[in-house]
Amino acid sequence: MDEEAWRTRETREHDVDHSIFPGTPAMQRFIADNATRVLAMLHRVRWLGPLVMRVVFGYFWLETGIAKVQNIAGFTQRFVGWGIPFPAFSATLSAWTELIGGLLLMLGLFTRLVCVPMLINMAVAVTLVVSSNLMGLDDYVEADEVVYSLIFLWLLIAGPGKVSVDTLLARWLGIRTQS
């Protein structure tokens, strides 16, 4: 909703008595006015949430990817211990997926595309590694990999947000987005 529509709606709503408790219109107006101001301010900076989430989450994956690439032999041994097929290849692919995926997420470049291999990484982690330690629904919900998967799913659906290389590329290419 744009600023003018917001103000018009605000004016109309103040003309009607919406009192929950009779005799409290001054308090109700005070709350409504301040809530409207706060919501309008948050509406103006709504681009900040996806940016912060993407940069911090991307940095987390970049950092873990770098650590795994720098110690690929140790990471491969963990894959051997977990019984993951083709451990050297799988560990290397997983580590580089995290490193490159994290960097691309931070930039907001190919965000939706990069979420696919990251989700596959998480699906493998949950099914072949984590699930053996989980006993019930509560354990699954509390597993880090499930939370990471939900964030990747959100980024896949919602996209990178307005402040991203993806958005700049879309504008340059003339692609219409729904933001």
Side-chain angles (χ1 to χ4, degrees):
M1 183 180 309
D2 65 353
E3 293 282 329
E4 187 175 326
W6 190 281
R7 283 193 198 110
T8 304
R9 181 175 171 199
E10 175 184 322
T11 304
R12 274 184 301 177
E13 289 177 351
H14 283 304
D15 294 340
V16 180
D17 183 15
H18 293 290
S19 296
I20 297 172
F21 302 105
T24 60
M27 179 58 84
Q28 186 176 5
R29 176 154 295 188
F30 172 78
I31 292 170
D33 288 346
N34 287 304
T36 299
R37 273 198 273 310
V38 169
L39 290 172
M41 184 212 43
L42 292 172
H43 184 74
R44 285 190 294 274
V45 295
R46 67 188 178 277
W47 56 269
L48 192 57
L51 173 65
V52 171
M53 169 64 88
R54 203 187 68 244
V55 169
V56 171
F57 195 57
Y59 179 77
F60 168 79
W61 289 106
L62 174 67
E63 183 181 46
T64 62
I66 289 171
K68 290 172 182 174
V69 166
Q70 288 177 340
N71 185 18
I72 201 68
F75 191 47
T76 300
Q77 286 308 308
R78 291 172 64 191
F79 272 54
V80 170
W82 292 325
I84 295 177
F86 312 106
F89 172 77
S90 298
T92 304
L93 180 62
S94 177
W96 281 102
T97 298
E98 290 180 12
L99 190 153
I100 294 169
L103 178 62
L104 292 174
L105 283 177
M106 288 179 68
L107 295 171
L109 179 60
F110 308 126
T111 303
R112 287 183 162 119
L113 180 64
V114 81
C115 285
V116 174
M118 297 299 273
L119 278 165
I120 292 169
N121 232 13
M122 291 302 98
V124 170
V126 169
T127 56
L128 298 180
V129 180
V130 178
S131 64
S132 62
N133 300 323
L134 306 177
M135 299 302 160
L137 180 61
D138 286 346
D139 291 339
Y140 274 96
V141 171
E142 294 171 2
D144 291 341
E145 292 79 6
V146 173
V147 175
Y148 302 152
S149 297
L150 291 173
I151 295 170
F152 286 128
L153 181 63
W154 176 71
L155 286 167
L156 178 68
I157 294 168
K162 286 185 176 185
V163 183
S164 65
V165 177
D166 285 341
T167 299
L168 292 174
L169 282 173
R171 285 183 188 156
W172 183 70
L173 293 170
I175 299 169
R176 295 178 189 253
T177 61
Q178 299 296 322
S179 20

